[in-house]
Amino acid sequence: MKILPNINGDIMERLEKLTLLKGEYKKFRERQGIKCTRNYYMATSYKAHVTDPVVVARAWAVSNLFTGFNKVIFENDTVAGCHLGLWVPEPQYPSDDEWGDNWIVNNHGVMTFEHNFDHFCPDYRTLVKEGIPGLLSRIEASKKIHKEDAGKMDFLNSQEITILGFSKMILQYGKVAEAMGKTEIAATCKNVAINKPETFREALQLVFLTHTAFTVEGRYAMALGRMDQYLYSFYRNDKAKGIITDEDVLELLTGAFIKLQDDVVNIVIGGYTRSGEGGVNELSYLILRAVKECNVPGPNLSARIYKDIPDEFLDACLKVIGTGLGYPALMNDEINIPALLKYGYSPEDCRDYAMVGCIENFISGKQPPWSDGRFNSPRYLEYALNEGRDMRDGRLLGIQTKPVTELKSMEDVLEAFKVQLRHGAAFYVRSFNNENGRFNRNMYAQPFLSCFCQNCIGRGMDINNGGAIYPQAHGVCCMGIGTTSDSLAAIEKLVFIDKVTDLETIRNALVNNFEDYEELRDKMLAAPKYGNNEDLPDKYACMFVNMHHEIFSEFKIHDGGNFYLAMAANVTNIPAGKELGATPDGRKAGEPVSDAASPMHGRDKKGPTAALLSVSKPDYTKVACGTVLNQKYSPVIFSDENISKLRSLVKVYFAKGGQEIQINAVSKEMLKDAMEHPENYDDLVVRVSGFSAFYTSLDMEVQEDILKRTEHDG
């Protein structure tokens, strides 16, 4: 079967329209100012429904928000939907009591990321199959089942109120489009507001307006999931009927994606199907090409790679990465699916996983919204070497363990480290459960969001209160695997193998940030380093994953859910380093720790093959959340003559157990010049960690951290 789509249309005309739309979006965003009208529309409704049950009042507030905010359609739009209509210049704020609006909304309860508000992958597969009529029909059927349960009836009525408000919102977009003479958008909106979608255009429009509704509610990092799977039947049917071309599909996709640049919206392409077959199809390629043509930081594209994936698809992904965009991140199905299976999800659901936020594995539409937090692992090695105390100020922040003079072997060091880790993990879990579980879930119910999670409608229960098929999962982002592995390797090498120093001297050097210990620091820096395919540090990387998995597997979330591990840090390896004193790998106090699963920048000196062999050694089926491996390759590696070698490198890395890889293809010289002359690089996009961004918009510390990553050129 032919997979690669055939693009024969006027490419330049399509790209010109896309450029115009990008400009319209940018100008409108800059003109709109800083006043958000969300709380005005919600507060107005809360005041009108003050005697209703809270969940019903919340539903009316959401409905009023959906129908009240300004519906913006751009002249070059191909797909309607834009949250920017929420924002107005200060003089245009519609109320003279903004403080009162905010107070009323806050009084009714506002959830955040820590309380499962967003970072969710909705059940778009069911939505495009049934449409709004299907949602309303299932709500009505559930009301008949639960008619004797007042609480569930309130919740189901609330869901119905929000869906009807959402339908009106779509009709409003249709009226705006009609007034602008955009008849195709108008007809599409009017149809999907009351009927299930029948065409690719209609299915995409319904999905995009649903996503718009979530962003209007204030939800961030709401994933679009496996678009090449749930939209594929519409694409295939339209192509068979001759009512759409691949050029049309690209125009629709780019028109939607260009408006996602302000959010971390994860889209997944490729991967196994629910039945276990290879899922790459023509639409996978078209989504990949659309992201390339948009050339903006969002959406956050992820490509799921499986054992027998077509070489053409992997090459196409690498060529897009090689433009400098940094997308897509490459994910290994052969690791992620077994990792998820450990937690009791069905095999079909595990094969259907998507990502939310940056790289976080998620069971689409069947578990509550995601949350995660940062766990600064190297600090517990610091405590192990200093009797539980901070190296810089002596505070007892860990649990008291033996002084270094009583640690007589490497096993003693590792045992002290494990004791400190377990103590830190217990505090982490207690803090998360206290914060995550402190709200009365009945008072903070989310009726609209719950319509897109199985089986909230059938159970008549909120997504965060027993409605979802699976309990929530929380990601523990374990930072500094490179810093920790290098530090343990240095201790074993210098103290227990070469016997050139002792633990007490190392501890004193760290407390003094290497002042008067420069020779010892040089020896630490010369010790074997993770990222060079050397056994000594790499065994500690394996131990790092195993130890964290063993410890966090002992704990449960208050609703029975699990703590996943993640080898990811976003950009918080920088503040994590500021919390630490010096470390035995030679790193000085306050400097960043290693980034996510990556080797410490500058220390992987033996080329990309050695780096990937090191990173593939830990058992990443114990890391169910996901991994971030940041690599920086010279643009020459992505040339036509080298692409097959790069493809082979990635395939070997995945075959040996690597979980994820993402690559910057921007030279160090260009990054340096962008830092010195930012005015010349407004459109320079780089891969930061689990996301991409305009390089010159990043904080200077983040720019420098990216710049310091080892650049492999062969």
Side-chain angles (χ1 to χ4, degrees), residues 450-584:
S450 298
C451 292
F452 303 91
C453 180
Q454 299 181 35
N455 187 24
C456 296
I457 293 176
R459 295 176 178 178
M461 300 170 71
D462 181 65
I463 189 172
N464 290 314
N465 197 23
I469 288 176
Y470 299 122
Q472 67 170 301
H474 175 84
V476 181
C477 300
C478 304
M479 291 183 286
I481 186 173
T483 298
T484 304
S485 302
D486 291 350
S487 294
L488 291 170
I491 290 172
E492 182 172 359
K493 174 72 171 168
L494 300 181
V495 177
F496 298 107
I497 297 177
D498 295 346
K499 303 183 188 303
V500 297
T501 188
D502 55 44
L503 281 175
E504 186 176 16
T505 302
I506 286 180
R507 175 203 166 275
N508 293 338
L510 301 180
V511 168
N512 289 282
N513 198 23
F514 300 116
E515 187 173 345
D516 298 325
Y517 291 88
E518 288 80 6
E519 184 178 347
L520 177 58
R521 181 175 183 243
D522 289 341
K523 292 177 181 178
M524 291 175 174
L525 290 170
K529 296 291 185 284
Y530 171 67
N532 296 289
N533 194 27
E534 298 196 31
D535 290 340
L536 183 58
D538 292 356
K539 77 174 181 180
Y540 287 118
C542 297
M543 183 215 69
F544 184 97
V545 170
N546 292 339
M547 190 179 290
H548 283 78
H549 178 261
E550 176 189 339
I551 290 171
F552 278 99
S553 293
E554 299 172 4
F555 301 103
K556 288 285 187 180
I557 302 174
H558 57 82
D559 70 346
N562 294 287
F563 289 94
Y564 289 175
L565 291 190
M567 294 300 134
N570 209 321
V571 296
T572 55
N573 64 306
I574 298 171
K578 293 179 180 179
E579 298 172 0
L580 290 174
T583 45

Side-chain angles (χ1 to χ4, degrees), residues 12 120 204 207 291 388 409 428 506 562 698:
M12 296 307 297
F120 176 70
L204 177 63
V207 167
V291 169
S409 66
Y428 181 99
I506 286 180
N562 294 287
L698 297 167

